[in-house]
Amino acid sequence: MFVWEALHDLTLIILIVCALVSIAIGLPTEGWPKGVYDGLGIILSVFLVVTVTAISDYQQSLQFRDLDKEKKKLFVQVTRDGKRQKVSIYDLVVGDIVHLSTGDQVPADGVFVTGYSLLIDESSLSGESEPVNIDEQKPFLLAGTKVQDGQGKMIVTTVGMRTEWGKLMETLSEGGEEETPLQVKLHGVATIIGKIGLAFAVLTFIVLTIRFLVEKAVSGDFGSWSMNDAMKLLDYFAIAVTIIVVAIPEGLPLAVTLSLAFAMKKLMNDKALVRHLSACETMGSASCICTDKTGTLTTNHMVVNKIWVCEKVAEIKGSESAEKLKTEIPEEVMSILLQAIFQNTSSEVVKDETGNNTILGTPTESALLEFGLLTGGDFDAQRSTYKIIKVEPFNSVRKKMSVLVSLPNGGVRAFCKGASEIILRMCDKIIDSNGNAADLPEEQANKVNDVINDFASEALRTLCLAVKDIDATEGENSIPDHGYTLIAIVGIKDPVRPGVREAVQTCLAAGITVRMVTGDNINTARAIAKECGILIEGGVAVEGPEFRNLSPEQMRDIIPNIQVMARSLPLDKHTLVSNLRNMFGEVVAVTGDGTNDAPALHEADIGLAMGIAGTEVAKENADVIIMDDNFTTIVNVAKWGRAIYINIQKFVQFQLTVNIVALVINFVSACITGSAPLTAVQLLWVNLIMDTLGALALATEPPNDGLMERPPVGRKASFITKPMWRNIFGQSLYQLIVLALLNFDGKRLLGLTGSDATQVLNTLIFNSFVFCQVFNEINSREIEKINIFRGMFDSKIFFAVIFSTVAFQAIIVEFLGTFASTVPLNWQHWLLSVLIGAVSMPISAILKCIPVERDTTTKHHDGYEALPSGPELA
C-alpha cells in the first residue's frame, strides 16, 4: 500500500514516462543493451526512491499503531472470584463487578448494583449535555460514558464491539493525525522552493533547447532530424524534470514526521505517551508550566506524620508511636476516631492471596486507613457493625467528604472530613484533653488554627475529622453542614520526589517559568514550593478565592509574579492559563489529573495528564500522558520538543544548501556549455541523499543538555534564522565556486586528455558534489557552535547514514557507471573529491565566527533575562 502511495508522486510518474520514452527511442537508435541504459538508470533510481519512502512510511505507521495500543491501555478495579483486583479493560468479562468513581470512563455496558449519587455524562453517546442520575430506577450504564460525580458498582453485561459504543465505533473510522504547526510552516517553505525549482527547470529546458536549435541552424542541419536529436531533447526534458524532483523538498514533511515519530518512541520509553503529534513540538516552545503539587512534585505516597487529638500533638513513626497514642487518649475518643476513619472513606481494605491487607483507593485515604490499621482498628468489623445510609463523595469544589451511618442501637451519626479551614467552620464543639465534647469559642478556634498552620508550615497536608449525632428532628436522610464536634487534625506527609528540585532549576535555566497550582493550604503550598525551588525571591503566593476576585488590571499586574496558587478551584487554573496565553502570549503547559482539570488541559497549549493518578476524562483532554506522574518527565518532554525543532532547522539548512547548488550549477552550465554536468540519474541519487537519508540522519539526533540553556522559541519567531541563512549562503558559495571551476576549467587544471576526459570530469564533479553534501551534513549538526563533533558518536543512525551514503556513492561511481553516466575514478580523483568536501568544515567554522544578529528574544516578563549567546558558547 505504501509503495503504491509513493508511486502517486507526479514528478516520479513523469520521470517513469521519460524513462519509457528514452528506452523506446534508445533501442532503435543505439540497439540493445546500450539504448536502455539511460532509461533503466532512471527507473532504478525511481525504484530506490519509492522503496526508501515506502519503508520509512511503513515503519512510522507501525510506531503509531503501537502508540494507539498504549493510548487505549486502561485499567479498572473489579471484584472477581470474591476478590477486588485491577484488570485491563481488554480482560473484562460479562459478570465482573466494576467499581466506578468520579472521573472514570465506563468500560463496558452494564447494570447498576449499588452506589451513591452516581451522575453519568452520556454526551459522547447521546449528545445530551445534561448528566444522568443512575440508581435502581434507572440502572443502565453504557460503555464510553463518563462518571461526573459519585461512586458505584455495576455488573458487566456486554463488552467490546457488542456494546452500544462498540457498535457506534464500527461505523466510524479513526481520523488521521492532524498536521502539526511545524509541518504547516514547512509546507509553506516547500511550496516556495518548489516554485523556484519549477522556474529553474523550465528555464534550463528552454535554454538547452534553444541552444540545440541554434547550433542545428548554424550547422545547416535544421531540415534533417534523427532519432539522436529526439533523444537529446528527451534528455533535456528528463534533466528539467529531475531538477524539479531535486528542488521539491518532499523531505521536509518526512523529516518532521520522522523526527516526531522518533521522539515519540523515545519518550514512550521515558514514560511519556504523546497523544497528539503537535504537542511534542509545541512543548519545545513552552515558556511556562503550571503544575499540580500532589503526585507530580511529590511522590503521592502519603503517610500520617502527626495527629492533634484531645488537644495534644503526637508524632506517628511506626506501630510503637501508634500504641503510645492509644495509651494517652481515652478509649471512647479512640473508638470515635476509628469510626471516623473507617466509615467515612471511599477506599477499601482487602486481603490479597497471601492474606495480607492491601488498601485500594486514593493516596490521602490510604494514609488514613493505614493509620487506622496501625492503631489496631479492624476495617471489616467496623463496616459490618454500622450501616452506611448516605454518602457525599469528595470533590474539588466541596473539598470534603461526608457520610451518614446508622448505629447498632438505632441512632444516626454523621462523619465529615476534608480541608481543615472548611471543616473547622462547620464545628461548634471540640473534644478536650479529658476526652469530653466542649464548646469551641473563638480563642480556642484560633488555637486550633495555629495548630493547622504549624502542620502546614512543615509541608504537611492537613485534614480535619468531625462527628455529629443526629436526632430525629433533623431528618435522618440529610447530611448536616454545621454543628459538628472536631475529633482530630491529621497531618499527612507527602515527600517531594527526588530530582524535582534539579528539574525545576533546569526549567528556570531554559527560560521556562514553573508555577504551582494546588488545592492545598497556602502554608503547605509555600513550604513545598520552597523545597522544590519554585517559590523564589520576588515570587508571589496567592489563594484561589483572592485571585478570582481580582479585576483584569490587577490580574495583569500580579500574574507575571505568581509562583504559587493555593486553595484553587479548577476554574482558577483555567483563568490563570487563559490569561497567561491571551494577555502575555505565553506558550503554556498544564498538568492535571482530575476530571475538573479537563477545561484547563483543553485551554492550554499543551495538556499533560497524569498516567497513575489521572482520571480517564483528564487523559482524554490531554496531549501528553505522563505515565509515571513525575515532574522530571515533563522537563524531558520539553527537552525533546526543543530537539525536534532544532533538528528540523538543521535539516532545512542542509537541504536548502543542496537545492541552491544543484539548481544553480545545472542552470548556469546549461546556459554556457549547452549540457548539464549532473544527469537525471545522478540528481535522483542526490535527491535520495538529501531528502530521505538526510532526514533520517539529522532529524533523529537525540537532545543534548545545551538545549535547556537557551530561551524558548517564541510563537512568532521566524523558522529560518539569520545564522541559518549565513551558513546556507556561505556553504553554497563555496560549493558553487569549486564546482564552477571544475566545470569550466577542470580539464586544464587536472590535465585531463583523451576521449573520456569529459566523462571523467563530469564524474569528478558529481563525486565532489556528493562529498560536499556528506561533509555539509556533518556541518549542519550545529547551527551556531563551532564544535560539530560533540555528541556525534552517540548517534548510531547518523553514522549509519553517512557510512551507507559513501558506500553507495563508491558503488555507483565504480560499478554502475553505465546507468549513472559515470566512469571509474583513480585514487587521486577520489582523494580530490573527499578533500573538496572536507574543506567545507573549516569554512563552516569560519562562517560561524561571523557575527549575525540573532532573532532577539524579548526579556521575559517574569524577570528572567535571556541567556547569553555567541562565541562564548562555542
Side-chain angles (χ1 to χ4, degrees):
M1 185 184 83
F2 287 110
V3 169
W4 182 243
E5 276 178 17
L7 277 168
H8 276 71
D9 188 325
L10 182 64
T11 46
L12 290 183
I13 293 168
I14 296 172
L15 279 172
I16 292 168
V17 172
C18 277
L20 293 174
V21 175
S22 167
I23 291 170
I25 297 172
L27 276 173
T29 54
E30 295 181 49
W32 172 269
K34 227 178 166 193
V36 297
Y37 285 155
D38 273 0
L40 263 181
I42 294 177
I43 285 175
L44 273 174
S45 305
V46 168
F47 172 72
L48 196 59
V49 170
V50 166
T51 309
V52 173
T53 311
I55 289 171
S56 84
D57 283 354
Y58 175 65
Q59 294 222 290
Q60 277 160 41
S61 79
L62 286 184
Q63 278 194 16
F64 289 130
R65 204 179 297 165
D66 289 347
L67 280 172
D68 226 41
K69 273 189 195 149
E70 277 293 325
K71 277 187 210 174
K72 295 185 173 127
K73 254 192 203 165
L74 305 176
F75 286 91
V76 285
Q77 297 270 359
V78 301
T79 299
R80 186 188 283 178
D81 304 330
K83 289 193 190 75
R84 183 158 164 178
Q85 48 195 282
K86 213 179 195 180
V87 301
S88 159
I89 58 165
Y90 294 118
D91 301 334
L92 269 186
V93 292
V94 173
D96 274 339
I97 304 284
V98 176
H99 299 250
L100 298 171
S101 55
T102 308
D104 284 351
Q105 191 164 329
V106 180
D109 286 1
V111 179
F112 174 81
V113 182
T114 61
Y116 312 102
S117 28
L118 195 59
L119 206 59
I120 301 286
D121 172 10
E122 291 185 353
S123 58
S124 54
L125 272 181
S126 65
E128 289 294 324
S129 53
E130 270 306 299
V132 180
N133 270 306
I134 301 290
D135 49 29
E136 284 85 349
Q137 277 70 47
K138 208 174 182 188
F140 297 106
L141 288 135
L142 300 172
T145 58
K146 299 179 183 76
V147 182
Q148 226 178 45
D149 202 359
Q151 57 197 58
K153 294 178 191 174
M154 71 167 212
I155 188 163
V156 176
T157 55
T158 44
V159 293
M161 291 318 239
R162 299 286 181 87
T163 60
E164 291 299 313
W165 179 254
K167 287 175 195 163
L168 181 68
M169 277 298 138
E170 270 182 334
T171 63
L172 302 172
S173 61
E174 282 260 328
E177 271 288 344
E178 73 285 7
E179 281 207 322
T180 76
L182 197 52
Q183 277 171 328
V184 174
K185 245 184 203 176
L186 289 181
H187 268 312
V189 175
T191 311
I192 294 165
I193 298 169
K195 282 177 182 169
I196 295 168
L198 184 64
F200 266 89
V202 172
L203 277 171
T204 307
F205 180 66
I206 292 169
V207 168
L208 285 169
T209 310
I210 291 172
R211 260 194 87 109
F212 173 67
L213 294 174
V214 168
E215 277 171 13
K216 242 179 138 41
V218 169
S219 59
D221 294 341
F222 205 74
S224 63
W225 286 78
S226 65
M227 278 292 199
N228 267 345
D229 293 336
M231 267 305 262
K232 259 193 169 166
L233 283 173
L234 184 74
D235 207 30
Y236 295 159
F237 183 65
I239 287 170
V241 173
T242 316
I243 285 178
I244 299 174
V245 173
V246 173
I248 294 173
E250 66 270 28
L252 287 182
L254 171 77
V256 181
T257 321
L258 261 177
S259 194
L260 288 169
F262 179 72
M264 283 166 89
K265 196 174 167 91
K266 290 288 182 193
L267 282 171
M268 211 153 124
N269 300 338
D270 290 347
K271 300 280 188 252
L273 171 64
V274 180
R275 291 184 78 245
H276 300 131
L277 264 182
S278 53
C280 214
E281 170 196 305
T282 318
M283 193 66 197
S285 307
S287 55
C288 164
I289 300 175
C290 295
T291 173
D292 278 348
K293 175 184 81 73
T294 310
T296 310
L297 300 171
T298 58
T299 58
N300 212 14
H301 178 73
M302 303 199 184
V303 284
V304 173
N305 186 267
K306 282 187 172 180
I307 185 167
W308 179 89
V309 61
C310 293
E311 300 186 274
K312 286 196 273 291
V313 174
E315 203 162 334
I316 308 297
K317 284 183 180 168
S319 49
E320 287 169 19
S321 46
E323 285 300 319
K324 186 167 175 249
L325 177 72
K326 277 170 73 176
T327 58
E328 286 176 1
I329 61 172
E331 208 175 304
E332 305 80 55
V333 179
M334 200 66 214
S335 160
I336 207 104
L337 177 62
L338 288 176
Q339 278 177 41
I341 290 170
F342 289 137
Q343 300 301 332
N344 189 16
T345 181
S346 58
S347 298
E348 279 187 56
V349 179
V350 294
K351 295 251 191 293
D352 58 20
E353 284 80 15
T354 55
N356 294 326
N357 283 333
T358 305
I359 299 169
L360 297 170
T362 64
T364 311
E365 301 224 304
S366 302
L368 280 175
L369 288 182
E370 218 169 287
F371 168 70
L373 296 171
L374 204 60
T375 54
D378 185 336
F379 181 80
D380 293 331
Q382 284 270 5
R383 280 294 173 99
S384 52
T385 313
Y386 302 92
K387 182 174 177 292
I388 293 174
I389 305 167
K390 190 176 182 182
V391 174
E392 258 180 25
F394 180 90
N395 72 23
S396 60
V397 178
R398 284 195 289 266
K399 294 199 187 298
K400 63 182 170 75
M401 177 180 180
S402 314
V403 62
L404 214 53
V405 297
S406 63
L407 305 173
N409 58 11
V412 174
R413 187 171 285 167
F415 291 102
C416 190
K417 72 167 180 218
S420 312
E421 51 270 44
I422 291 172
I423 304 296
L424 189 58
R425 282 201 295 273
M426 293 163 58
C427 295
D428 57 11
K429 287 194 173 67
I430 185 172
I431 294 180
D432 64 16
S433 49
N434 304 318
N436 303 320
D439 284 339
L440 183 62
E442 197 168 323
E443 66 207 53
Q444 182 68 7
N446 290 339
K447 278 185 191 166
V448 175
N449 244 328
D450 292 342
V451 172
I452 292 168
N453 290 336
D454 287 348
F455 278 19
S457 59
E458 291 173 39
L460 296 179
R461 189 176 203 170
T462 59
L463 284 182
C464 285
L465 307 177
V467 64
K468 180 178 184 180
D469 284 319
I470 293 173
D471 51 42
T473 56
E474 287 185 72
E476 291 195 358
N477 272 342
S478 63
I479 299 177
D481 51 14
H482 63 278
Y484 283 86
T485 303
L486 183 66
I487 310 168
I489 301 166
V490 180
I492 295 173
K493 182 88 175 161
D494 185 8
V496 169
R497 278 181 184 274
V500 163
R501 194 180 175 87
E502 291 77 9
V504 169
Q505 292 309 318
T506 306
C507 281
L508 296 181
I512 304 171
T513 320
V514 182
R515 293 180 166 88
M516 183 170 102
V517 183
T518 175
D520 265 351
N521 173 305
I522 192 155
N523 293 320
T524 311
R526 268 203 195 108
I528 295 273
K530 277 184 183 152
E531 204 175 325
C532 297
I534 292 173
L535 188 60
I536 52 177
E537 220 173 307
V540 175
V542 294
E543 286 193 312
E546 176 193 336
F547 174 75
R548 72 185 81 112
N549 293 329
L550 296 174
S551 68
E553 288 73 31
Q554 289 171 308
M555 277 194 184
R556 187 183 291 277
D557 293 339
I558 195 173
I559 284 176
N561 300 317
I562 290 179
Q563 288 173 352
V564 176
M565 193 191 287
R567 283 286 174 244
S568 67
L569 295 177
L571 198 65
D572 302 330
K573 198 187 222 175
H574 183 267
T575 309
L576 178 67
V577 171
S578 61
N579 282 337
L580 278 167
R581 289 186 71 217
N582 304 332
M583 279 185 191
F584 301 100
E586 294 255 16
V587 178
V588 187
V590 168
T591 72
D593 49 17
T595 308
N596 31 42
D597 286 328
L601 288 172
H602 197 69
E603 171 69 23
D605 293 282
I606 312 103
L608 306 158
M610 297 300 136
I612 301 168
T615 61
E616 290 320 313
V617 181
K619 288 179 195 172
E620 207 146 288
N621 280 283
D623 303 298
V624 181
I625 297 169
I626 307 295
M627 308 292 250
D628 58 355
D629 291 16
N630 193 342
F631 187 77
T632 315
T633 308
I634 299 172
V635 179
N636 215 6
V637 177
K639 197 194 268 185
W640 271 101
R642 289 185 175 199
I644 289 168
Y645 195 84
I646 285 188
N647 285 349
I648 309 297
Q649 280 186 320
K650 292 175 193 172
F651 175 67
V652 168
Q653 176 183 301
F654 167 67
Q655 193 170 38
L656 285 180
T657 310
V658 189
N659 273 7
I660 291 170
V661 177
L663 292 179
V664 174
I665 195 86
N666 262 16
F667 175 65
V668 173
S669 180
C671 292
I672 296 169
T673 65
S675 69
L678 300 171
T679 66
V681 173
Q682 290 169 0
L683 282 174
L684 276 170
W685 166 233
V686 170
N687 185 54
L688 191 70
I689 295 174
M690 70 177 201
D691 267 357
T692 315
L693 296 176
L696 200 60
L698 292 169
T700 55
E701 288 249 306
N704 57 47
D705 291 334
L707 289 176
M708 297 305 274
E709 289 165 12
R710 53 175 73 189
V713 179
R715 266 182 208 276
K716 295 185 174 69
S718 146
F719 182 72
I720 302 178
T721 60
K722 287 171 187 164
M724 284 169 73
W725 283 123
R726 173 198 63 197
N727 298 346
I728 290 166
F729 288 130
Q731 283 291 345
S732 303
L733 194 63
Y734 160 70
Q735 290 184 26
L736 284 169
I737 291 168
V738 173
L739 295 177
L741 269 173
L742 285 175
N743 193 35
F744 299 120
D745 202 20
K747 286 181 189 172
R748 187 186 64 79
L749 287 170
L750 300 170
L752 294 174
T753 52
S755 57
D756 65 347
T758 307
Q759 266 195 301
V760 170
L761 183 64
N762 281 349
T763 304
L764 182 65
I765 290 172
F766 168 55
N767 210 27
S768 304
F769 180 60
V770 168
F771 273 101
C772 278
Q773 306 330 318
V774 169
F775 283 98
N776 194 28
E777 205 160 336
I778 300 170
N779 292 334
S780 297
R781 290 191 67 254
E782 283 289 352
I783 293 171
E784 291 181 59
K785 293 185 186 172
I786 292 169
N787 181 4
I788 50 177
F789 299 107
R790 190 178 74 167
M792 185 167 115
F793 304 101
D794 302 335
S795 182
K796 290 177 188 159
I797 299 176
F798 190 84
F799 263 110
V801 169
I802 297 288
F803 180 75
S804 55
T805 305
V806 173
F808 271 122
Q809 180 64 13
I811 292 165
I812 286 168
V813 170
E814 297 296 323
F815 305 110
L816 299 175
T818 41
F819 294 116
S821 311
T822 59
V823 289
L825 296 173
N826 61 32
W827 70 267
Q828 291 99 328
H829 290 154
W830 270 101
L831 187 63
L832 180 63
S833 299
V834 175
L835 276 173
I836 288 170
V839 171
S840 72
M841 285 182 156
I843 284 176
S844 166
I846 293 162
L847 284 170
K848 285 169 188 171
C849 293
I850 299 169
V852 286
E853 188 192 341
R854 280 185 62 172
D855 298 328
T856 50
T857 40
T858 49
K859 182 182 170 185
H860 243 66
H861 61 71
D862 49 22
Y864 294 107
E865 294 286 350
L867 277 125
S869 61
E872 71 273 15
L873 286 183

